[in-house]
Amino acid sequence: MDALRKQASKIRDQVAKQQQAVKKQFGGTGYESSDVMVIDEIELQRHQHLEKLYRSTRAGKDFQKDIVRAAEAFTVTGCKQIETGTKLSEDCCKYGTENTDDNILAKAASLYGDALGHVEKEQEDLNKMLSSQVLEPLRAMVNGVPLEDARHLAQRYSRMRQEAEIQAAEVCRRQTRSRELPSPDNTAKLHAAESRMKEIQANMAVLGKEATAALAAVEAQQQRLTFQRLVSMVEGERTFHQRMAAILIDVESEMVSEKQRKESAPPVIALDTCSEKAKYYLAEATHAFFATSEKELSLAVGDYVVVRKMAPSGWSEGECRGKAGWFPSAYVEKRQRVPTINVSSEVF
């Protein structure tokens, strides 16, 4: 009978050891949850809270790494955009400088080249912001000592809890042995196992409090810092895109205005100063026109104008009241033809 009891006790020990080995093999979090042994309700709550904090700080750390990787990618992309934009800006400015014959495209190229210079400056500012306000603080916390120290405390608590489970199994085994085979030796071993169990419980309570406080502090710092860095990213990108939009809106407006000005301005036609003759005609102003430049001629309703040239753009050149200039062709009506005269003839 004694042999059977010894064999049964040996089998129980082997099964307990195999269970612990399986837990260690398949537990991969670094902090092992277990429901095998509960010392008391307070310890159970502390264990569950610590397990929650461990998972939360691990998820927070992983999220911070995700933000760091994204900010690094934004910075690399921004550097490439700066390089490409700088080259295009130089090409645009070069084209505008080499084609200074009052060409609309040349002017537009110059305007866009200058705008790209401002755009690249804004991109550089965004990259600096991402580096100083996002990358550096998050990297420091991901690799920081407080987080690692807190997680090491939690891992030590987890190992001590496993040790307590093993010791509890040992106490249970000693109690069974003492009941089945009462002897001073078995009683002494039981008392030693129980004393060791109380020691582990006391150490585990102290370590559990330290680990919980450390992880709670790290979790709060993680949440606060990550939120602040996210807000900084959003503000930085918003400011960048607003300034980009303002720059591009301005340059587009300048391009369109320049095109309209070129198209609406009187054509520049050199006057023939030789003795070559031209045919003029007399016209009467049907609408008032107010000159906006020295090249233009102001007209009042009823004025008679000697029209000397007509351009396809809808402008005419002529003389009225001793002054010469350009005016809209639609503002006058032809009244009678005049004889062929020399270019240097006086106005009627």
Side-chain angles (χ1 to χ4, degrees), residues 38-47 157 161 204:
V38 177
I39 297 174
D40 55 37
E41 187 65 24
I42 296 177
E43 191 281 331
L44 175 61
Q45 293 176 358
R46 182 183 299 117
H47 167 68
Y157 174 83
R161 182 178 170 84
M204 189 167 63

Side-chain angles (χ1 to χ4, degrees), residues 35-243:
D35 296 326
V36 174
M37 186 277 300
V38 177
I39 297 174
D40 55 37
E41 187 65 24
I42 296 177
E43 191 281 331
L44 175 61
Q45 293 176 358
R46 182 183 299 117
H47 167 68
Q48 292 174 342
H49 187 203
L50 195 56
E51 184 178 16
K52 180 181 178 181
L53 287 172
Y54 192 91
R55 292 176 178 174
S56 174
T57 53
R58 183 179 61 183
K61 181 178 180 179
D62 291 341
F63 183 50
Q64 287 178 334
K65 288 181 178 179
D66 292 338
I67 297 175
V68 167
R69 282 192 292 268
E72 288 174 342
F74 289 155
T75 303
V76 172
T77 303
C79 290
K80 291 181 179 178
Q81 288 179 340
I82 290 173
E83 182 180 353
T84 304
T86 300
K87 179 63 170 63
L88 180 57
S89 175
E90 293 173 352
D91 293 340
C92 288
C93 291
K94 180 181 178 182
Y95 180 85
T97 303
E98 294 177 350
N99 296 271
T100 56
D101 54 350
D102 207 27
N103 187 295
I104 296 178
L105 178 58
K107 182 63 176 178
S110 297
L111 291 172
Y112 187 49
D114 292 340
L116 284 176
H118 295 296
V119 168
E120 306 322 319
K121 177 62 171 59
E122 295 297 334
Q123 184 67 62
E124 289 178 359
D125 292 343
L126 177 62
N127 286 356
K128 290 178 182 178
M129 184 281 298
L130 289 175
S131 178
S132 62
Q133 298 186 30
V134 179
L135 289 174
E136 292 177 5
L138 289 182
R139 282 172 180 162
M141 186 162 193
V142 167
N143 302 317
V145 174
L147 175 60
E148 292 305 314
D149 288 348
R151 291 170 69 82
H152 287 158
L153 285 175
Q155 291 167 357
R156 283 177 55 195
Y157 174 83
S158 176
R159 290 192 293 269
M160 189 170 289
R161 182 178 170 84
Q162 293 173 5
E163 182 181 354
E165 292 173 354
I166 295 174
Q167 188 62 30
E170 175 66 12
V171 170
C172 183
R173 188 175 70 82
R174 291 298 176 184
Q175 288 173 344
T176 303
R177 181 69 61 85
S178 181
R179 285 195 304 267
E180 293 176 350
L181 295 174
S183 67
D185 181 57
N186 286 340
T187 301
K189 290 181 178 179
L190 174 59
H191 289 166
E194 290 175 342
S195 298
R196 175 59 180 160
M197 185 64 195
K198 291 179 181 179
E199 180 183 354
I200 293 175
Q201 287 176 336
N203 293 337
M204 189 167 63
V206 174
L207 186 59
K209 291 179 182 179
E210 292 179 1
T212 301
L215 276 180
V218 169
E219 181 191 44
Q221 185 183 9
Q222 264 186 348
Q223 297 286 325
R224 183 174 60 256
L225 179 66
T226 306
F227 177 78
Q228 291 172 347
R229 296 313 98 196
L230 275 179
V231 171
S232 296
M233 282 187 69
V234 172
E235 290 179 347
E237 290 191 70
R238 175 182 57 80
T239 301
F240 168 72
H241 290 297
Q242 285 178 340
R243 291 178 178 174

